[in-house]
Amino acid sequence: MSQGELNIAGGNMPGDSFAGAAETLLRLENITKEFPGVRALSGVHFDLVRGEVHAVCGENGAGKSTLMKIVSGVYQPTEGTIIHKGNKVQYSSPLESEAAGIAIIHQELNLIPHLSVAENIYLAREPRRGFWVDRKKLRADAKRCLDRLGVDIDPDQTVRGLSVAQCQMVEIAKALSLDAEVLIMDEPTSSLTEQETTLLFKVIHDLKRAGVGIVYISHRLDEMAQIVDRVTILRDGRYISTAKFADTTVDQIVAQMVGRSLEEKFPERTSAPTDDVIFAVKGLTRKGVFEDVSFELKRGEILGFAGLMGAGRTEVARAIFGADPLDSGEITFESRVLDIRSPQDAIREGIAYLSEDRKSDGLAVKMSVAANTTLANMEAVSSKFGVIDFAKHNEIARKYVDLLNVKTPSIEQTVRLLSGGNQQKIIIGKWLFRESRILFFDEPTRGIDVGAKFAIYKIMDELAAQGIGVILISSELPEVLGLTDRIAVFHEGRITGVLKTAETNQEEIMRYASGYVPAAQ
């Protein structure tokens, strides 16, 4: 047992810890993983003891998710050793690792849309009565997992009708249902509200007390102090360091992640709002979803959408983009009333929507980086006869790969092989190339590291400075407060207030998001 394990056993961890001996549940030695054209991991070391939360931090492309996929049997290492509870192992599939007591909550959702919540939670493990699935027990067991998380989701509901945040909670419930001794959480709070995150952290503390070892991957470094015991840092696929979280700082972690100090979280704003209203909606209504939504976007400003899960922020953006129907209301762009009935209409009018679910709605994951970058503006890289000019096509792709610092071995790399953050950058590049004039950024930094976040924030500011309309939808209130000029706060499908960012704070936003409207409003 190492000195680090002895320290943990001695009770130096934050919060409630497992009272038993600090057994090493998992040890990774000299793990290397090569893909065609790229070495994702090189000689990485990691260990996890019973009853601790061990964070793995690094920029996008650092190898965090790849390392965890090796542990869970999705990938096999090119070199190196995995030791699980004292035994040398190599799992050839997630089913093997799950049977051995290892569960993973992936950053990218892996639910089957046409099945129910309960069926997804217990997929391939359904309780049976003879030859038949015991539906009553299936529902009861699923409800017990959901209740443990404190979420109100009907186990019989079809997954395709859930929001991204609700799907994330189902993924977490699915992992909890396995009663695993090793639980890997890859960006578990990226889609969750502050309230849902608090509930999840309570579950994590309960799991620690029960002796579960948790590997925690997140770009939300500030929240880690509440749950994390140790932190291991990776950079460019290599091991950098391991330390007790209490003995380090967020600034030190960031410096080791990016190889430099990062003084600012948000760029200095170069754009300034004018009185010129370039985009407005009035009385937007979709029955049962949102009602009488009105707001204005001024030239040079960044407008924020804030609110709790299910408040209607994303639903309004999707309706404006033509992805969902509207029952009534008016959309005006530069004093011209628009008739938008489909995303094609919106794109032609210069409106772009960067979906919160990049995997399903933002990318053609089996196509290349280059193809995804030009996908929304193919006519710009084609002849009048529709023949693609591949020299121009590739030139454009390289331009946006360089501009957004996308980590990819080449522009021909298949997008699904990139990290989640780099996939998000490709989507941004796609809409920048389209030269859209109104951009809805829906959770644009979900699953993106601190260094890349700053670059995206800077792009948003530069777009606003150029007179392009920017609307930010985010569940991270510090992000909304750090970037926007005004904030429209949603509650149950209505805007309860539009606040000047410089004159408000998180507490006031949460009051409006909870439905409390001051009498003077």
Side-chain angles (χ1 to χ4, degrees):
M1 184 178 294
S2 71
Q3 182 62 41
E5 290 163 3
L6 288 170
N7 287 339
I8 290 171
N12 292 325
M13 296 186 291
D16 300 312
S17 58
F18 180 63
E23 174 193 358
T24 300
L25 291 174
L26 184 69
R27 186 182 299 279
L28 309 180
E29 299 176 349
N30 196 38
I31 298 296
T32 297
K33 179 62 179 176
E34 295 180 351
F35 295 102
V38 62
R39 174 172 280 202
L41 295 170
S42 181
V44 173
H45 303 276
F46 178 82
D47 70 279
L48 176 72
V49 302
R50 187 178 294 281
E52 77 161 336
V53 177
H54 192 154
V56 181
C57 295
E59 291 190 276
N60 290 113
K64 307 180 300 296
S65 294
T66 300
L67 187 66
M68 293 306 110
K69 287 178 179 178
I70 287 174
V71 173
S72 61
V74 176
Y75 299 146
Q76 282 69 52
T78 306
E79 297 177 17
T81 303
I82 303 171
I83 301 172
H84 182 201
K85 297 177 69 173
N87 299 312
K88 184 177 177 180
V89 298
Q90 182 167 312
Y91 299 118
S92 60
S93 72
L95 285 177
E96 280 191 19
S97 66
E98 286 177 4
I102 298 174
I104 182 168
I105 303 166
H106 292 283
Q107 177 182 344
E108 300 293 349
L109 303 177
N110 287 282
L111 302 176
I112 300 176
H114 66 272
L115 295 182
S116 71
V117 169
E119 289 168 333
N120 271 278
I121 291 175
Y122 285 97
L123 188 65
R125 299 180 292 117
E126 300 89 346
R128 294 188 173 273
R129 183 180 296 170
F131 291 104
W132 309 102
V133 172
D134 187 337
R135 293 283 173 183
K136 185 176 180 180
K137 189 174 189 306
L138 174 65
R139 189 185 194 285
D141 289 350
K143 190 174 189 309
R144 194 157 38 248
C145 292
L146 295 166
D147 287 346
R148 188 177 180 185
L149 289 171
V151 294
D152 184 20
I153 299 175
D154 184 354
D156 295 326
Q157 182 173 352
T158 304
V159 162
R160 68 160 52 92
L162 300 180
S163 68
V164 172
Q166 288 173 318
C167 287
Q168 185 71 69
M169 297 304 274
V170 173
E171 286 274 20
I172 294 168
K174 180 179 179 180
L176 294 180
S177 75
L178 293 164
D179 292 325
E181 288 184 297
V182 174
L183 180 58
I184 301 166
M185 295 184 166
D186 192 352
E187 298 289 351
T189 65
S190 61
S191 304
L192 305 185
T193 64
E194 186 174 345
Q195 181 181 10
E196 292 162 342
T197 298
T198 300
L199 291 171
L200 176 62
F201 286 177
K202 183 181 181 301
V203 172
I204 288 174
H205 282 296
D206 290 343
L207 292 170
K208 286 174 65 174
R209 283 195 295 269
V212 176
I214 299 172
V215 184
Y216 193 84
I217 301 173
S218 176
H219 292 304
R220 294 182 175 182
L221 302 181
D222 292 338
E223 72 185 16
M224 288 187 180
Q226 301 177 55
I227 54 168
V228 170
D229 304 302
R230 287 191 295 160
V231 56
T232 288
I233 298 168
L234 304 181
R235 185 169 72 238
D236 297 329
R238 296 180 179 275
Y239 172 85
I240 301 300
S241 68
T242 297
K244 289 183 181 179
F245 195 86
D247 293 341
T248 188
T249 67
V250 170
D251 288 342
Q252 289 170 341
I253 291 171
V254 170
Q256 291 189 70
M257 283 169 53
V258 302
R260 65 188 188 282
S261 63
L262 195 63
E263 302 297 334
E264 299 176 349
K265 291 184 179 179
F266 302 101
E268 183 178 349
R269 290 290 303 277
T270 59
S271 62
T274 67
D275 293 330
D276 181 17
V277 176
I278 57 171
F279 185 77
V281 304
K282 184 177 180 181
L284 293 191
T285 297
R286 184 183 176 199
K287 292 178 182 178
V289 182
F290 54 84
E291 185 174 356
D292 196 24
V293 171
S294 302
F295 64 86
E296 295 179 342
L297 177 64
K298 299 176 181 179
R299 192 178 302 278
E301 85 168 333
I302 298 177
L303 177 66
F305 280 6
L308 301 175
M309 184 183 76
R313 300 167 302 163
T314 291
E315 291 79 3
V316 167
R318 284 177 55 88
I320 292 171
F321 187 62
D324 295 326
L326 276 171
D327 293 320
S328 60
E330 184 176 272
I331 303 171
T332 305
F333 179 44
E334 294 185 337
S335 302
R336 185 167 57 88
V337 177
L338 306 182
D339 181 20
I340 297 175
R341 300 177 185 273
S342 69
Q344 289 88 344
D345 292 338
I347 292 169
R348 277 194 295 268
E349 295 290 357
I351 299 173
Y353 170 62
L354 285 78
S355 168
E356 62 176 335
D357 189 351
R358 57 177 170 262
K359 186 177 180 181
S360 296
D361 301 330
L363 294 164
V365 294
K366 294 183 179 180
M367 295 175 70
S368 68
V369 169
N372 273 275
T373 303
T374 60
L375 196 58
N377 198 14
M378 288 299 296
E379 60 270 26
V381 293
S382 302
S383 71
K384 61 182 180 180
F385 302 108
V387 178
I388 297 174
D389 181 341
F390 281 102
K392 188 173 183 180
H393 175 269
N394 293 342
E395 179 186 350
I396 292 296
R398 291 190 190 96
K399 172 184 174 181
Y400 287 100
V401 163
D402 292 341
L403 176 67
L404 298 171
N405 193 28
V406 178
K407 293 182 179 178
T408 176
S410 77
I411 60 171
E412 299 305 323
Q413 177 78 317
T414 304
V415 163
R416 68 178 177 83
L417 297 178
L418 300 183
S419 68
N422 285 307
Q423 290 177 351
Q424 186 75 308
K425 292 178 185 180
I426 296 298
I427 300 170
I428 294 172
K430 174 180 71 175
W431 291 120
L432 292 180
F433 176 49
R434 179 70 200 190
E435 298 183 343
S436 303
R437 294 175 292 167
I438 302 292
L439 282 85
F440 285 85
F441 287 83
D442 196 348
E443 306 289 357
T445 62
R446 174 176 172 249
I448 291 180
D449 62 77
V450 289
K453 280 185 178 182
F454 189 87
I456 291 172
Y457 296 155
K458 191 169 178 60
I459 289 168
M460 293 171 67
D461 173 66
E462 290 171 351
L463 292 172
Q466 296 168 23
I468 294 172
V470 176
I471 297 174
L472 168 65
I473 305 170
S474 177
S475 298
E476 295 188 43
L477 291 184
E479 183 171 80
V480 175
L481 288 165
L483 280 175
T484 65
D485 299 288
R486 291 184 302 137
I487 303 167
V489 187
F490 285 70
H491 171 70
E492 294 184 351
R494 290 178 175 269
I495 292 179
T496 51
V498 179
L499 311 174
K500 290 184 178 179
T501 304
E503 299 173 5
T504 190
N505 54 40
Q506 293 193 40
E507 290 74 20
E508 183 178 31
I509 293 170
M510 286 306 299
R511 285 199 296 271
Y512 279 89
S514 300
Y516 169 74
V517 181
Q521 181 69 19

